Amino acid sequence: MEIYDYIIVGAGSAGCVLARELSSNPDNKVLLLEVGPDSNRFWVHTPAGMAKLFFDKKLNWNYFTEPMPALGGRKMYWPRGKGLGGSSSINGMIYIRGHPSDFDTWEKLGNPGWAYRDVLPYFKAIEHNERGADEYRGTEGPLWVSDPAVKVSSSFDFIESACRHGIERTDDINGRLHDGVGFMQHTIRNGRRHSAYFAFLRPAMHRPNLTVRTGCRVHRVLLDNGEAAGVEVECNGAKHTILAAREVILSAGSFNSPQLLMLSGLGPSEELRRHGIPTVLDIPGVGRNLQDHFYVHTAYRSTRSSSYNRKIRGVWKYLEGARYLFTKGGYLALGTSQVAAFIKSNPDVDYADLQISFRPMTFNFHPSGHVEVDREPGMGVSVFILRPKTTGTVALHSANPADPPKLIPNFLTDEEDVRAMISGVKQIRQIMALEPIASRVLSEQLPGPRMQSDEQLFEFMVDTGNTASHQTSTCKMGRDAMSVVDERLQVRGVKRLRVVDASIMPHVTSGNTNAPTLMIAAKGAAMIKEDALVRRSIRT
């Protein structure tokens, strides 16, 4: 019988941080379990390789939602990372923490210790910002945070036009002024993706007290007298039991953590009965409160100098590839977007509820999985709603751990969300019509000049709207009846069991979600070490 002090389920962004931090004490015997493979691959290292990983069958779960009535019954593709590093190995590498008020709200919702003043030290501790340290940024952490390798001239012009639209310029979205417009930073080090695996886990792999296993699917958490005792896991076709002397920690993400709780008999009793799973503890909030950033993309035909489309297609892409191989620079070393603008959908909003992202290139994803950069020069501008009123559900398709979870987002079912998104598309048009960016625009491709009324823009969203892949909050932290974990991230009603990943967010943060997920893991690890539960007496 195998026994570890801590069993961590899931080697995504949070799991990699936890494994590093908990194994820093040589007295802790730590096991990290991951169903996916190693992610040490060329296209993972290469920032532009994100396009190659969008439909990858080995490193991506390739999830789909249930049909969505409000979106004409269509299913939506939801990529999620599978393998060491999780989604940090396939994402756009954008590093945005969120607005300070997000975390202050978490505290007000019954989570002491989670205000911005409390989480800022953990944000600073995990990062090495190439700009240097200040009141808001750190340089002693393992995660590299950098500026774009190439700042395209049209990005500067977009910033200037956004300022003329009334948006304040910010030198650091993660610093003093979040609600503004400026260049984003990315988790890229010397032209290579710096995933959670490469930043946190790989440097700790040599530790004798840390065991990392890939290709292992956890079927359920084993419970004994109201506490987590271990996990039932299948590795390479063989099913066996591994025991935890101190704690089991779920870091499987906003889909798989609630799925695993339900498979273990912890969740809404009606959902468990539906699939013949005995209810160990009725926790109605498991899988509820699913939040995501609904996303709409607009595109503009542009002058040649405004876009790098030509540089990364045809014969030019091979020249750019050679440039990257020799210098680790150029356009293949860039993250997905260059500039972010945080704006209000209307003046009555307390702080920005929309994020606009600008990229000096355009592309299309084909159903086959092939990603094609547009032939003509183009600029892409997207918008997503930051704090949606809409919530969805993660449920079960069956009691089989190999079946995907059932994903129900409920997009476009709240009138306030719809009005905010329509405002976002209109404000993109207003910015793009202002100089100096206006001189770079040849024509509007999406939504297109014929789409003008609110009804037409809503139809455009129904047909083309997508996910920003920022799903959170399905095991939310709090003190109300729908909370799943407390402020120490312990599952309510179950000892020695925690959830530490994006699913614990009481509400989604105002921006991309990888940075706050890493912070959650760093703070969670600190709390686990502070609590230092006495080892269970285990008879084998």
Side-chain angles (χ1 to χ4, degrees), residues 428-498:
I428 287 174
R429 283 175 161 168
Q430 291 164 5
I431 293 170
M432 298 301 285
L434 293 172
E435 294 295 349
I437 196 69
S439 293
R440 297 181 177 274
V441 174
L442 299 181
S443 64
E444 179 185 307
Q445 299 296 101
L446 292 173
R450 293 183 179 179
M451 308 292 278
Q452 293 296 329
S453 69
D454 288 1
E455 292 75 16
Q456 288 171 324
L457 293 179
F458 177 74
E459 180 184 342
F460 172 69
M461 291 192 293
V462 167
D463 291 340
T464 69
N466 217 316
T467 173
S469 297
H470 300 161
Q471 297 92 359
T472 68
S473 307
T474 52
C475 298
K476 78 168 186 172
M477 171 175 61
R479 298 187 177 185
D480 65 359
M482 296 303 288
S483 297
V484 176
V485 301
D486 63 18
E487 68 270 18
R488 305 293 289 182
L489 307 187
Q490 300 171 95
V491 175
R492 293 191 173 279
V494 184
K495 297 178 181 178
R496 300 183 185 271
L497 178 62
R498 299 194 206 222

Side-chain angles (χ1 to χ4, degrees), residues 56 78 83 133-134 190 220 282-283 313 327 360 373 526:
D56 188 279
W78 278 9
D134 62 19
N190 298 327
R220 63 189 178 103
D282 181 16
I283 310 178
R313 61 169 293 128
T327 69
V373 176

Side-chain angles (χ1 to χ4, degrees), residues 210-290:
L210 173 62
T211 301
V212 179
R213 291 183 186 163
T214 56
C216 292
R217 184 188 300 276
V218 175
H219 286 203
R220 63 189 178 103
V221 177
L222 301 173
L223 302 164
D224 181 24
N225 291 322
E227 61 182 26
V231 295
E232 182 182 89
V233 61
E234 180 182 347
C235 297
N236 299 317
K239 191 163 67 173
H240 56 286
T241 295
I242 306 175
L243 300 182
R246 283 187 162 150
E247 297 192 46
V248 174
I249 307 159
L250 303 187
S251 297
S254 293
F255 302 156
N256 300 107
S257 283
Q259 180 189 32
L260 189 50
L261 285 175
M262 287 185 279
L263 292 173
S264 306
L266 306 171
S269 57
E270 289 185 8
E271 178 69 10
L272 302 183
R273 281 196 300 269
R274 188 176 298 117
H275 301 286
I277 300 171
T279 300
V280 176
L281 184 63
D282 181 16
I283 310 178
V286 172
R288 303 308 195 261
N289 196 46
L290 171 65

Side-chain angles (χ1 to χ4, degrees), residues 71-93:
L71 274 71
R74 68 182 171 99
K75 295 183 177 182
M76 186 178 289
Y77 176 60
W78 278 9
R80 299 305 299 166
K82 179 172 67 172
L84 299 182
S87 292
S88 75
S89 293
I90 68 168
N91 67 5
M93 295 149 286

Side-chain angles (χ1 to χ4, degrees), residues 385 388-391 410-419:
I385 186 167
K389 302 292 190 299
T390 302
T391 61
N410 295 326
F411 285 143
L412 296 185
T413 56
D414 183 271
E415 290 185 7
E416 289 186 42
D417 289 353
V418 172
R419 282 196 295 268

Side-chain angles (χ1 to χ4, degrees), residues 284-324:
V286 172
R288 303 308 195 261
N289 196 46
L290 171 65
Q291 297 182 31
D292 190 13
H293 290 146
F294 182 74
Y295 160 103
V296 170
H297 179 69
T298 73
Y300 293 82
R301 282 276 310 280
S302 73
T303 59
R304 177 171 291 187
S305 65
S306 305
S307 169
Y308 60 85
N309 282 0
R310 188 171 68 99
K311 294 286 188 180
I312 53 176
R313 61 169 293 128
V315 68
W316 290 97
K317 70 180 178 183
Y318 298 106
L319 297 175
E320 198 59 36
R323 177 187 180 190
Y324 177 77

